Amino acid sequence: MSTQEAQHAQRAPESRPGSAASVDVEQAEAALVEHYPRLVRIAYLVLPPSLGRNRRVLAAHALVQRSLPRRRAAGDAAMPVQRRRPEDAVDPGYAYVRLRVLRQALDGAAPLRRTAWPKRAQLPPLLPQVWGLRLFPRSGGADELALDQRLSAVSAAGRAAYVLRGLERQGDAEVRRVLAAAGVADPAAALAEADGVDGRDAPGGAALLESPEFDPCSLQARPTDLMRRRQHTRAALAAGAAAVVCGVLLALPGDGWGRDGAAAPPYARNAAAEAALDPGKVLRVAPAAWQRSSRTDFSVWPARGNLVRDEDLLRRALAVWARPGAKVQASATPGTMPGPPAGPPQLLFAGDVDGARVVLFHDGLRAVRYAEPKDGTDVAALDFARTDGADTASSAALVVSRTHANVRYLTAPWVRDVQVRDLLQAGGEARPLERDTHGVTAPMQSPAAASSCTSWDVLEVRDGIASRVLTDLGELVPVRLTSGAPSAPVDVSGEAARAEWARTACLLPSMRATGVRSVNSWRFAEQDLPGEGTGTASWLCTRAETWRGTGSRALAQFQAPVTAVTPGAPATPGAVAAKAEDSPACGARVPQVLAGVLWKGPGDQWYVLAAGSPDVASVTVSGGVEGHERGRLLAVEADKGAKVELDGKLEDGTEISALR
C-alpha cells in the first residue's frame, strides 16, 4: 500500500448523502491526484474479475481518469457533493471523485442488454492502451487467490459494499448511504452479500484488500501471444500465396516438390510434448535414492505429499505449466525461462497446504510451483525458479506456501533438523520449528514481506555435514547466507559471524526478487578510528551471487563501533560506503576491494577513512583532500562534505579503484 493510501486509511469515513454542498473542480482534481492509487484499487476490486486481469487493470485506470467533468465552464466551477457531519474528516473532493468512480465501476459490471445502448464503462477503454504487452498486478498467495474467487461470486454491488467496509473502514450505515448515492437499488442486499464473502473457514479478507495482489498501480508485464500477432500480420499475404501454391502443387506429379526431411507432417502431435503432459509419466524418485546417490541435489528428492497420486491435480498442473491461461498468475526469477518442460518432469511434492493444493516439479534446470485454491480450479498461480548447478546447500529447501507475512518450506530428505533464528539478535537463541511427515515446516515469519527491519527470521537447516542458514527474499528458492573470504566462504556460525550479519541483514531487502543464489559477508579490514577512545571499526564487503551468473551485487559496508547496546534491541545496521552491480569485486575471481567513507570524529572533526583488502599495499586520496598511506588503511582530516577520489595499488603493482 502506498504512503498516500496509508495516510488515507487512517482518516474517518467520507461523506454521507444529505443536503448538497459544493466542491471546486480544482479541489476534486487535487483529490484525484493525491489518492489516485487508492481510487484505482477501489475500481479494480469492484469491476468483475471475468474481464481478465489485463483489461480489468486498464479499465480501472480509465474509470478513475474519467471521474472529472470534461469541461471547466463557469457553471462547472463548483460541483455538488454530499454534506458531511462536523465530526467527519473534511475531504469533499475525495468523496466526490470516489462516488463517480463507484458509479462507473458499477455500470461497467452490469451485463450488456440488446434493448439498450451500452454505457461507456461497459466498453473496452480507449485510453490508456498498451500494445504488445499484458499488464497485471503482482502475484499473491493462496489467501489472495481464494478472496478473489469469492469476490467474483458476488454481485458488483456486493463487491462495492465489501470494499467500502474493508478498505475504506466504513460502518454499515455509511456503506448503505454511499451505495444508495452510487445508484445501487438495494444497499441492504449488497451488505448481506458482503457478509457472506468471508466464510467460517476463510481468513479475514479485509486486510488482504491492501495486498499487492489487488494493486493495479504496481504491475508486471508479459508479452501477448507473439505467434498469433505474427500470423495476423502475415494473414493477407498468406491467403493469396496459399491459393497459388496449392494450384501449383496439384499440377505437379507424384509427391510434389519432395519430402520435408525429418520434420513431422503439418499439425502432427509431438510424442515428447505429449509425454511431458501425461501425469502417469511424471518421474518419481525412490525415498532412499539420495542415500545411495553420488550427488545430493533436487534430482534425488523423493515425491512427497498427500496428493502425489492425484492424477487429475497433476494433469491440471502440467497443462497450466505448458499453456498458462489468462487467469494464471505466473512469475519467474530473472533469467528463468517460463516455457513448458522438454519431457516428463520430476515430481517433488503434491499436497494440501494452507487452503491450497500445491504441486512442486523439477525439470533439471528449474523448480516450478503450481498452486490452486481448494474450492476451485479456475484460477491458479505458477512460479518458476532457476536451479541449474544446485549443490547440497542450495537444494536444502524450497518455498511450498506463502500466505501474507508467513512462509512454509519443503525441506530436503537429508535435512535432520530445522530451527528459526532472528538474525538481528546476535546473541539470541534459535527456536525449534516443527515439520510434518512430508518435510513441510510450520509457518514462520517471512522477512521478504516486512515493511520495516525490526527482525529478520532465517531458517537454519542441519544435515549430517553442517548447519546452513537460509533466508526468504521473495522467490521460490531460499537464499543461502555465508561469511568469510571469497575464496572459501563458510556457513554462518559462531559469535563473530552472527554479530557481523546482525548489522548486515537489513541490507538484504535491496536484493529481493533478483534471482539471488547466495550472499556472502566478508570482513576484509579493521581500522582503529582517529581520536582517543573512539574504538575500532569493521569494513565488510557483502556480495550477492545469482543463479544466472550475471546481475551480481557488491556492497562495501562500514560498521562503526557501538558504544551502548540495549538488551533485546536489534543491532545497529552498518553504513553502505559503496555498491556496484555486475562487478567481480569481493568475489572468487577478484578477491580485492577498496572503499572509503567520510566520518565525523571527536570534536566535530571530519575524516576521510579508507580500507582495502589484505593484498592492498597503498592507498591514495585526491580531490578535496590529498593524502597517501603505505598499507591498506588511511585516515586523513577533511572538511564536511568533501568530495574525494580513492585509488590504491596491490602488492604486485596492479592499480585498484574504489568500489563504485
Side-chain angles (χ1 to χ4, degrees), residues 422-427 453-455 497-507 521 537-538 540 557-576 599:
D422 186 355
L423 208 57
L424 301 189
Q425 302 290 340
C453 191
T454 57
S455 65
R498 291 196 179 105
E500 293 171 3
W501 267 108
R503 304 186 64 183
T504 304
C506 288
L507 303 179
S521 187
S538 297
L540 286 84
Q557 187 185 164
F558 176 77
Q559 293 186 354
V562 179
T563 56
V565 179
T566 303
T572 304
V576 176
W599 177 74

Side-chain angles (χ1 to χ4, degrees), residues 595-616:
V597 294
L598 195 62
W599 177 74
K600 182 179 179 182
D604 292 337
Q605 176 62 55
W606 289 86
Y607 296 86
V608 172
L609 304 180
S613 49
D615 50 357
V616 173

Side-chain angles (χ1 to χ4, degrees), residues 1 4-5 8-15 35 37-43 45-46 91 94-95 97-99 102 159-171 174-175 178 206 209-210:
M1 182 173 63
Q4 296 173 350
E5 292 181 272
H8 174 74
Q10 298 173 358
R11 298 177 181 171
E14 273 77 23
S15 62
H35 302 289
R38 193 171 192 85
L39 291 166
V40 176
R41 187 187 291 261
I42 292 173
L45 288 165
V46 176
D91 194 358
Y94 175 78
V97 176
R98 186 188 62 188
L99 187 59
L102 281 174
R159 290 192 295 271
Y162 189 86
V163 170
L164 289 173
R165 178 192 286 168
L167 190 64
E168 297 292 278
R169 309 292 195 271
Q170 292 186 343
E174 182 65 18
V175 172
V178 174
L209 294 178
E210 298 175 350

Side-chain angles (χ1 to χ4, degrees), residues 109-258:
L112 294 172
R113 301 182 183 277
R114 295 182 178 179
T115 57
W117 288 100
K119 296 184 179 181
R120 185 177 182 184
Q122 295 175 285
L123 301 175
L126 297 177
L127 290 175
Q129 282 288 351
V130 178
W131 298 94
L133 289 175
R134 293 187 296 112
L135 302 178
F136 49 90
R138 302 188 67 85
S139 301
D143 293 342
E144 288 86 351
L145 285 174
L147 175 60
D148 193 45
Q149 187 174 14
R150 295 196 302 272
L151 286 174
S152 66
V154 301
S155 66
R159 290 192 295 271
Y162 189 86
V163 170
L164 289 173
R165 178 192 286 168
L167 190 64
E168 297 292 278
R169 309 292 195 271
Q170 292 186 343
D172 289 354
E174 182 65 18
V175 172
R176 282 193 292 270
R177 294 188 182 97
V178 174
L179 290 178
V184 176
D186 192 350
L191 274 172
E193 283 189 275
D195 290 335
V197 172
D198 293 335
R200 179 182 304 175
D201 298 328
L208 299 178
L209 294 178
E210 298 175 350
S211 71
E213 168 76 15
F214 305 111
D215 183 8
C217 290
S218 178
L219 301 172
Q220 290 181 314
R222 292 291 184 272
T224 56
D225 191 332
L226 300 179
M227 294 302 296
R228 181 177 298 177
R229 192 167 67 192
R230 183 180 299 174
Q231 291 170 359
H232 287 174
T233 305
R234 300 175 178 176
L237 293 176
V244 175
V245 171
C246 289
V248 173
L249 288 177
L250 290 174
L252 291 175
D255 292 332
W257 285 332

Side-chain angles (χ1 to χ4, degrees), residues 412-424:
W414 54 84
V415 171
R416 298 180 179 179
D417 183 44
V418 293
Q419 293 181 311
V420 179
R421 185 186 295 273
D422 186 355
L423 208 57
L424 301 189

Side-chain angles (χ1 to χ4, degrees), residues 276-279 282 313-323 341 345 361:
L277 300 180
D278 186 353
V282 167
L313 171 63
L314 298 181
R315 181 176 289 105
R316 289 194 299 272
L318 292 169
V320 169
W321 182 358
R323 304 182 307 277
F361 293 112

